[in-house]
Amino acid sequence: MAVLPIRIQGDPVLHSPADPVTVFDDELRRLVEDMYETMDAAPGVGLAAPQVGVAKRLFVFGWTDDDVEHRGVAINPELWITPAPTGEADEDEESEGCLSFPGERFPLRRGARAILQAVDLDEQPFEIRAEGWLARIFQHEYDHLDGTLYLDRLPRPFDRDWPKISRKRGWGVPGRQWLPGVDDLEG
């Protein structure tokens, strides 16, 4: 297993829809193992294949809630979500970050519940009904598969803040990446 470099906002693979996974082989298994290792090293609670430069529709997740570990891989997922509530997001309760825009967090309203349907590495279908943070993780990672970063969904004034941060750090261009455990960045 290996920790993979994580692409930073501006890399084209992050801003384009990913292709369905069609081949379930040892190469896919290695990719998923490497994605778990990368997510854990970052540390993060989810990681989509485009974030490591692979334009395929899959993501891994790992989050513990009330001593229950939620960990898995979703390949070719479908996601149904409840509408996000109206009004301003609570900066303490509804802020999220992204390993592709490391070190920053912004408040964003998301649907409180989600239904994830996907297949696993053995091409076995599964369904997870999620609430709260797990539902948020699914929405965030699923967005990556459609070429959408959470930054693209931010309301004012945060939609004006992140581009300034990106320019200051030299991001927003192809080829920028960071390596968990090596580079001095946090997501």
Side-chain angles (χ1 to χ4, degrees), residues 18-29 31 49 54-58 74-77 119-123:
D19 297 322
V21 173
T22 57
V23 178
F24 290 73
D25 59 5
D26 288 341
E27 185 177 330
L28 180 65
R29 289 182 185 284
L31 172 63
V54 178
K56 293 293 181 184
R57 294 190 72 79
L58 73 112
I75 302 172
N76 297 330
V119 298
D120 63 18
L121 282 168
D122 296 318
E123 295 185 75

Side-chain angles (χ1 to χ4, degrees), residues 86-156:
T86 58
E88 290 186 25
D90 182 306
E91 289 192 45
D92 294 324
E93 299 292 323
E94 295 177 292
S95 286
E96 62 186 72
C98 181
L99 297 175
S100 291
F101 201 78
E104 300 297 327
R105 295 180 64 77
F106 294 104
L108 177 64
R109 304 234 76 180
R110 295 272 194 187
R113 290 182 298 284
I115 300 171
L116 173 69
Q117 292 180 334
V119 298
D120 63 18
L121 282 168
D122 296 318
E123 295 185 75
Q124 294 302 306
F126 67 89
E127 178 177 291
I128 299 174
R129 293 176 179 266
E131 295 184 8
W133 276 103
L134 187 57
R136 178 179 291 273
I137 293 166
F138 290 165
Q139 291 169 70
H140 182 108
E141 299 310 325
Y142 188 84
D143 274 353
H144 277 298
L145 305 182
D146 288 336
T148 301
L149 299 181
Y150 89 112
L151 303 168
D152 300 323
R153 297 188 179 280
L154 292 176
R156 280 189 167 53

Side-chain angles (χ1 to χ4, degrees), residues 8-106:
I8 293 177
Q9 172 268 328
D11 194 289
V13 73
L14 295 171
H15 304 284
S16 302
D19 297 322
V21 173
T22 57
V23 178
F24 290 73
D25 59 5
D26 288 341
E27 185 177 330
L28 180 65
R29 289 182 185 284
R30 273 191 303 280
L31 172 63
V32 170
E33 287 176 12
D34 291 347
M35 287 175 62
Y36 279 127
E37 189 166 337
T38 303
M39 176 185 70
D40 293 341
V45 295
L47 185 67
Q51 292 181 274
V52 294
V54 178
K56 293 293 181 184
R57 294 190 72 79
L58 73 112
F59 65 81
V60 297
F61 57 94
W63 181 67
T64 302
D65 176 31
D66 297 328
D67 297 325
V68 175
E69 184 178 26
H70 306 277
R71 192 168 178 89
V73 59
I75 302 172
N76 297 330
E78 297 288 335
L79 190 69
W80 289 268
I81 58 173
T82 57
T86 58
E88 290 186 25
D90 182 306
E91 289 192 45
D92 294 324
E93 299 292 323
E94 295 177 292
S95 286
E96 62 186 72
C98 181
L99 297 175
S100 291
F101 201 78
E104 300 297 327
R105 295 180 64 77
F106 294 104

